Amino acid sequence: MAFGPSLRHANSAAGEWRMNERSNLPPPASGMKGMIWPAIPDSQGSALLALLYQLEQTQWWSAERLSEYQFRQVAEMLRHAQATVPYYRDRLAASGWPADRLPDASNWSDLPLLRREDIQGAGKALHSSAIPKSHGNISEVSTSGSTGKPVRLLATGLTGLLWNVGTVRDFLWRRCDFSGTYAAIRFDRTGAAAYPDGEHAPSWGKGFAHTLPTGPAVILSITTPVEKQIEWLRRHQPDYLITHPTNLEALLLHCARDGIRIANLKQVQTISEVLKADVRTLCRDVWGVALSDMYTTQEAGYLALQCPLEAHYHVQSENVILEVLDADDRPCAVGQTGRVVVTQLHNFASPLIRYDIGDYAEVGAPCSCGRGLPVIRHIAGRARSMLVLPSGEQFWPFFGGNKFSQIAPVSQFQLVQKTLESIEVKLVTARPLSAGEEDQLREVIVTQLTHPFSVSFTYVDEIPRSKGGKYEEFRSEVAAPWAAR
Ligand SMILES: [Zn+2]
């Protein structure tokens, strides 16, 4: 018997829980001797499944109910932060927040924002002196960020568990067949995923494989040339692929030109960079598969996952309070774009309370799928990837790689706004371009940027990805009046 999404929702709204109805969750592995089925997982596995069980229900809660429980949880976090984290003890005292005040929707904005510079300045003052033992092993998370100056935070076994739960929820939402082969083309920190072999793993994730058996995973470094990536994909025939949007676009354009399909591929997922709408269409057209995007950060874990039915994102309210604020720090309304401010609900080692992570997003209307998890319609990008016009107007420009390669043999490009009137275009080309080709490119660029910038071309052998594997098509070196905040 098949249940469509609306019926499923109707049932859930009636309080009936049906995780196993058409569920793609594989039978868990047992941690008890002699007990194979039904399984009794070990303590880690049981914790994972217990959380998943609840998440299957909380996704259908109303926004109000989700918010109520978020404040219950964050009250614990605040108490802990005030008592054991020097930075918050001082910061909250200075802002006049009494130690016994309970946070709620009406006083939440009284809490000061935490900026990246604050974290860098605070150093170890942001670490708790009394991390609960039950939260597991403590590790360090370091993110490089745009300035190259790293942010160092602590993670716990608990935050690791929640990361794994987010990963599995995403597989469930996307109705992945857990027995398939997963391919990842991503940043390769250790050098183990170099072409031609790449790295081979027995499962999709170390953190949950002992509970939920999956098929194998294959991993390739994102710095591998595009033709070799395609050869590698055709050799491994994965069911699923995860990579960065800029890399996916390069793969798709190459495959479109040569008419290449990856036979077994069922879905593609993108991470880590802003996804342009036309890449979704390209993926559908060239490979005939759907694309699903996600929004995560190393510091705070899963922020939002793409809705199973719509091309927008659901905030992961069980993990974070996510605010979208305007220039005056007021919450944005539906349709408005503002700064993303995140409170992680469970990191008691280095709490992040109202952390302004430097991204911009557009608030969406409640979703027709019935989930109460708030909606982000679009993730716009970072302040420094915004063009600043001489008029003071700003926007995030996008360039289809296709447009450039139709004019000239451009294999890679990057635009850098140097001043209010000038743009430098870095190009990797198969041969030097003629003056006529440069003029045509200039025309496309000026049209796209909506202003007659002075456009200069620089030819380079390669435009490398940043630390962490991110690629920037556009970057502005002009500080908008508010972008330095
Ligand atoms: Zn939805």
Side-chain angles (χ1 to χ4, degrees):
M1 189 172 174
F3 288 91
S6 56
L7 187 53
R8 180 193 162 102
H9 172 228
N11 281 321
S12 305
E16 190 180 339
W17 184 65
R18 41 177 74 256
M19 188 174 186
N20 292 322
E21 197 73 59
R22 291 177 65 221
S23 172
N24 50 331
L25 194 71
S30 194
M32 186 182 281
K33 202 171 178 198
M35 182 77 177
I36 302 275
W37 182 84
I40 298 181
D42 64 12
S43 61
Q44 274 284 317
S46 297
L48 182 102
L49 287 176
L51 287 167
L52 270 179
Y53 171 89
Q54 292 171 74
L55 261 56
E56 282 294 299
Q57 299 169 75
T58 53
Q59 62 185 330
W60 306 108
W61 285 10
S62 68
E64 295 72 30
R65 192 171 181 207
L66 285 165
S67 176
E68 182 195 329
Y69 278 81
Q70 284 184 315
F71 281 120
R72 286 191 197 189
Q73 172 60 32
V74 87
E76 287 294 310
M77 161 71 76
L78 269 180
R79 244 195 311 269
H80 171 81
Q82 237 167 338
T84 75
V85 180
Y87 174 85
Y88 284 110
R89 188 187 56 221
D90 300 346
R91 189 73 181 265
L92 295 183
S95 71
W97 182 277
D100 58 353
R101 181 187 283 173
L102 287 175
D104 58 34
S106 68
N107 62 25
W108 182 244
S109 62
D110 295 348
L111 286 165
L113 294 174
L114 176 72
R115 303 188 195 284
R116 196 175 173 84
E117 309 83 76
D118 297 329
I119 301 180
Q120 284 162 338
K124 288 190 173 159
L126 206 58
H127 298 178
S128 168
S129 60
I131 305 164
K133 277 214 162 60
S134 55
H135 287 211
N137 292 339
I138 298 156
S139 55
E140 195 176 86
V141 178
S142 174
T143 65
S144 54
S146 56
T147 54
K149 198 177 167 191
V151 158
R152 282 186 223 287
L153 293 164
L154 299 179
T156 61
L158 174 63
T159 60
L161 172 67
L162 287 158
W163 178 276
N164 290 329
V165 170
T167 305
V168 177
R169 175 187 246 183
D170 176 57
F171 294 146
L172 292 174
W173 279 17
R174 291 163 50 212
R175 306 204 70 76
C176 291
D177 170 3
F178 280 71
S179 66
T181 297
Y182 219 106
I185 303 179
R186 63 179 190 214
F187 179 59
D188 175 25
R189 196 167 278 108
T190 61
Y195 184 84
D197 290 336
E199 194 180 345
H200 292 244
S203 76
W204 296 359
K206 264 198 290 231
F208 56 85
H210 65 290
T211 317
L212 297 173
T214 70
V218 285
I219 305 136
L220 184 68
S221 168
I222 196 163
T223 55
T224 309
V226 171
E227 312 85 77
K228 288 181 172 163
Q229 288 186 36
I230 293 167
E231 186 281 320
W232 181 86
L233 284 170
R234 297 178 91 175
R235 186 152 35 97
H236 287 93
Q237 288 298 334
D239 299 272
Y240 304 101
L241 167 67
I242 186 166
T243 192
H244 295 200
T246 50
N247 188 57
L248 176 64
E249 186 181 22
L251 286 170
L252 289 168
L253 290 172
H254 195 100
C255 286
R257 199 189 59 200
D258 296 351
I260 297 171
R261 283 212 174 199
I262 312 298
N264 280 352
L265 197 65
K266 295 175 179 70
Q267 266 181 44
V268 174
Q269 190 172 40
T270 47
I271 42 162
S272 207
E273 301 164 345
V274 171
L275 173 71
K276 301 184 284 186
D278 59 352
V279 177
R280 279 186 196 282
T281 320
L282 198 62
C283 190
R284 179 63 78 186
D285 291 350
V286 177
W287 282 348
V289 300
L291 187 161
S292 173
D293 189 39
M294 60 156 73
Y295 184 28
T296 64
T297 63
Q298 279 203 306
E299 301 100 304
Y302 279 82
L303 305 186
L305 290 177
Q306 187 177 313
C307 173
L309 300 183
E310 305 280 346
H312 56 213
Y313 307 80
H314 281 294
V315 173
Q316 298 300 289
S317 297
E318 301 92 342
N319 187 49
V320 289
I321 294 176
L322 189 148
E323 302 168 76
V324 181
L325 302 181
D326 68 13
D328 298 320
D329 292 346
R330 282 186 309 241
C332 288
V334 170
Q336 283 184 310
T337 296
R339 285 149 43 231
V340 176
V341 170
V342 164
T343 302
Q344 211 288 337
L345 295 174
H346 312 99
N347 186 341
F348 280 55
S350 46
L352 293 176
I353 299 166
R354 302 198 81 211
Y355 175 32
D356 186 337
I357 58 176
D359 289 336
Y360 285 74
E362 182 187 329
V363 178
C367 185
S368 62
C369 75
R371 287 176 178 79
L373 301 169
V375 172
I376 292 177
R377 187 158 168 261
H378 174 62
I379 295 153
R382 304 188 77 85
R384 73 202 173 105
S385 53
M386 236 181 171
L387 178 78
V388 187
L389 294 176
S391 65
E393 266 180 274
Q394 297 144 21
F395 64 94
W396 287 274
F398 277 134
F399 299 89
N402 219 359
K403 259 187 193 162
F404 287 3
S405 54
Q406 277 164 3
I407 294 169
V410 174
S411 56
Q412 221 188 348
F413 68 91
Q414 186 178 53
L415 282 79
V416 183
Q417 180 175 21
K418 305 300 275 188
T419 70
L420 277 178
E421 292 289 353
S422 64
I423 302 284
E424 182 194 4
V425 182
K426 290 182 185 168
L427 292 176
V428 180
T429 55
R431 55 163 173 77
L433 301 192
S434 70
E437 286 169 332
E438 283 193 357
D439 284 344
Q440 283 185 61
L441 288 177
R442 193 174 278 119
E443 202 181 312
V444 168
I445 290 164
V446 163
T447 307
Q448 198 76 14
L449 299 183
T450 71
H451 177 77
F453 285 101
S454 142
V455 177
S456 62
F457 294 95
T458 310
Y459 293 88
V460 292
D461 292 334
E462 189 199 2
I463 306 170
R465 289 177 175 269
S466 71
K467 251 187 178 173
K470 295 195 188 197
Y471 188 82
E472 292 178 305
E473 272 182 6
F474 180 86
R475 180 159 55 82
S476 179
E477 291 179 356
V478 178
W482 48 266
R485 53 187 305 152

